[in-house]
Every structure is written in C-alpha cells, then in structure tokens.
Amino acid sequence: MLAQVYRIPDRVVMDAWRRSRPEDPLPLLPPRRARQPSEKLLGAWSSLNDRQRTYLTCIFQQDQEAEAQQRHARHVGAEQRPAEEWRRMTLALSASSDAVGFTRIQERLREAGVHDPGAGSSVAALERRGLIVVYRDRVYVDGLGDLPRTRVEMTRPGRAVARAALGVPREAGPPAPLLSSWLWKIVVRVARAGTQGVDGSLAGRGPHYLAVGQSPDGRTPSRGFIVLRHPDGVTHGPYRWFLTDSGQHHIDDHLDAYRSLYPGIDAEGVNGSSG
C-alpha cells in the first residue's frame, strides 16, 4: 500500500523497512500475477487479417525462442550479445530457396500454410501499425555474393499484442524483494569473495542495480547491497566491490527462498550466520 501511495516499486519500501526495523520479520509478497489483456491489445489483434496474424504469431514465436536462448546463455555464464543484435531476426534472403534454404521464421510460416517469401504486404502492414520494425540490408553468402536481406524486430507493443492474443503470460519473476537470477549471481560472487572483494571492473549493468546510489531509471534508489571501496585498512590503489550490511541482511533473510528459486546457483558459504 505504501508503494502504491508513493508510486514507487514494492522492493523500495521493503528494503527501507528492513533497514529501519531490522528486528521485525519481513514477509515475502506473493508472486506477481499475470495481468489480464487489455481491450486495446485485443482490439489491435482483431484489426489484423488472418495472414497478418499468422505473420505476427510466427515472428513472435521466433522472438521468444531467441529470448529463451539468451536467458539460457546468461544462466550458464556464456558471453552475452546486445539485445539489438539478437532481437533483429532474419526473415528472408532475396535468393532461391534451393540456394539458401529457408529462415527459421519462413519455416514457421510454411508450417502455418504461408509459402510466399515473407517480405511483402503483410510485413508492411505490421510495420505501419507499429508492431514490428523492418530492416533491409545486404549480407554476404559464400558462393552467392552479397544478397538483399530482410530482418524484423518485434516492438514492445507488438510483443504485448501477441502475448494478449495468444495467451502467453510474461514470466512472473521472483517476489518483489528478491533479485533476478543474474543479479543474485553477482551478490553471491561478491559475498563469497569476503574481505578480498571483487575486482572493481565487475562487468555489466548489475552493479548499477545493486550498488549504493540510484537505479538506472534515475528515480528509484538502487538496492545498496554492494559498494565500491578500498579494502579494509587500505587508503590507495584499486577499488573493489564488497557486500554491505544491507546485502548481508538480504542474504540472511532470503537464502532459503533463493535456493528454491535458483537451485543451479551455488550459494554455499554466503550466509552470515554460517560464516
């Protein structure tokens, strides 16, 4: 209720409550519930003809497949590609299918009964409605040279319309005070480093969400679970990342929940009470 009144995320209130009232238990909120699709989203779907719906569905399915692959890569610690790269998916190459085969989206379209090249009026109609963005460039193919290529990217509204029409809920995520798996991995890494700390060049956007200061949105506080400072007793030289008291309290409060949520992340030795 406080979060609603002040128009801030639930976790901001819960973090502040834990810091100011450490003796009180902090209950977990229930998992986020999927929102019911709005009439606006369903209306946008209704405005499409059958062929346009098929195109949007197949592009959305490929988008979700690419997203799942990136999520898996992140979980196993593989190198991450920028979203603007993997969300731009090849729809078609201007060449004979005998020479270049079919793209994954074209294969989906063919399974749905659509056998044209895939870069015509239906795609243009989806772009006009702001549901996808179309990119046209050229790509080199061995033995064929430079070929015209059409790529597509789902917009946020396009993804929302497809989700609503197809009944695909967004991933619910963890309860409000808990971290996503990739942020939890960072906290575990810093906690396990103990008094040695973690190299100050800790990569990625994780520190922006976890460190003392402002979140990337520029409005809400960051979690304040890690801090960049000199090691104890050192006044010069490189800075390193260390766990804050709030970070350790968060681990102690929710370690069992994290072990249940992310059993593949080894959090042995991060609990303050167990050393």
Side-chain angles (χ1 to χ4, degrees):
M1 292 176 64
L2 287 173
Q4 292 177 15
V5 169
Y6 289 102
R7 298 180 181 178
I8 55 177
D10 294 339
R11 58 93 176 161
V12 174
V13 174
M14 301 185 80
D15 286 351
W17 185 278
R18 184 67 181 87
R19 287 193 296 269
S20 62
R21 306 174 68 92
E23 71 283 355
D24 291 349
L26 184 66
L28 292 180
L29 292 181
R32 297 186 180 95
R33 297 178 181 176
R35 296 180 179 179
Q36 293 298 315
S38 69
E39 292 185 5
K40 180 179 179 180
L41 295 177
L42 295 178
W45 176 263
S46 297
S47 71
L48 304 177
N49 62 35
D50 288 343
R51 193 177 189 82
Q52 292 162 358
R53 292 176 186 176
T54 299
Y55 269 89
L56 187 63
T57 297
C58 292
I59 294 171
F60 172 73
Q61 289 170 341
Q62 188 59 31
D63 173 86
Q64 295 302 286
E65 181 177 291
E67 185 175 284
Q69 290 172 347
Q70 291 301 307
R71 188 161 52 244
H72 175 73
R74 185 169 65 239
H75 287 171
V76 299
E79 182 178 356
Q80 299 296 292
R81 296 167 54 207
E84 62 264 22
E85 291 183 9
W86 59 264
R87 284 206 184 276
R88 294 183 185 180
M89 305 165 292
T90 299
L91 172 61
L93 297 176
S94 293
S96 167
S97 60
D98 292 335
V100 298
F102 298 103
T103 67
R104 186 69 183 95
I105 296 177
Q106 286 176 322
E107 290 175 348
R108 292 182 186 277
L109 288 166
R110 290 172 66 83
E111 291 169 1
V114 177
H115 297 277
D116 61 26
S121 60
S122 295
V123 171
L126 296 178
E127 185 174 34
R128 285 196 303 272
R129 288 170 168 81
L131 304 178
I132 65 172
V133 179
V134 179
Y135 302 90
R136 291 184 171 86
D137 57 11
R138 302 184 72 86
V139 62
Y140 180 80
V141 177
D142 288 341
L144 298 174
D146 283 337
L147 298 179
R149 175 177 64 173
T150 301
R151 293 189 293 167
V152 291
E153 179 180 356
M154 297 285 297
T155 63
R156 288 182 181 274
R159 204 173 290 115
V161 168
R163 285 186 183 281
L166 302 175
V168 179
R170 291 184 60 87
E171 188 175 348
L178 301 189
L179 301 167
S180 64
S181 62
W182 71 282
L183 291 178
W184 173 240
K185 279 185 179 180
I186 294 174
V187 169
V188 168
R189 179 183 172 190
V190 175
R192 295 180 73 170
T195 58
Q196 299 298 313
V198 171
D199 187 347
S201 63
L202 185 64
R205 293 174 60 83
H208 296 289
Y209 292 96
L210 294 170
V212 175
Q214 289 287 314
S215 291
D217 65 13
R219 298 188 301 274
T220 56
S222 182
R223 302 303 295 263
F225 293 164
I226 62 176
V227 63
L228 188 64
R229 62 173 175 80
H230 288 305
D232 293 338
V234 177
T235 58
H236 61 280
Y239 287 79
R240 299 184 72 83
W241 289 105
F242 295 91
L243 200 66
T244 63
D245 289 342
S246 291
Q248 187 62 64
H249 286 318
H250 182 82
I251 291 173
D252 295 342
D253 286 343
H254 305 301
L255 183 57
D256 288 342
Y258 278 120
R259 283 174 171 160
S260 177
L261 273 173
Y262 312 126
I265 300 177
D266 182 8
E268 189 67 29
V270 301
N271 191 293
S273 61
S274 63

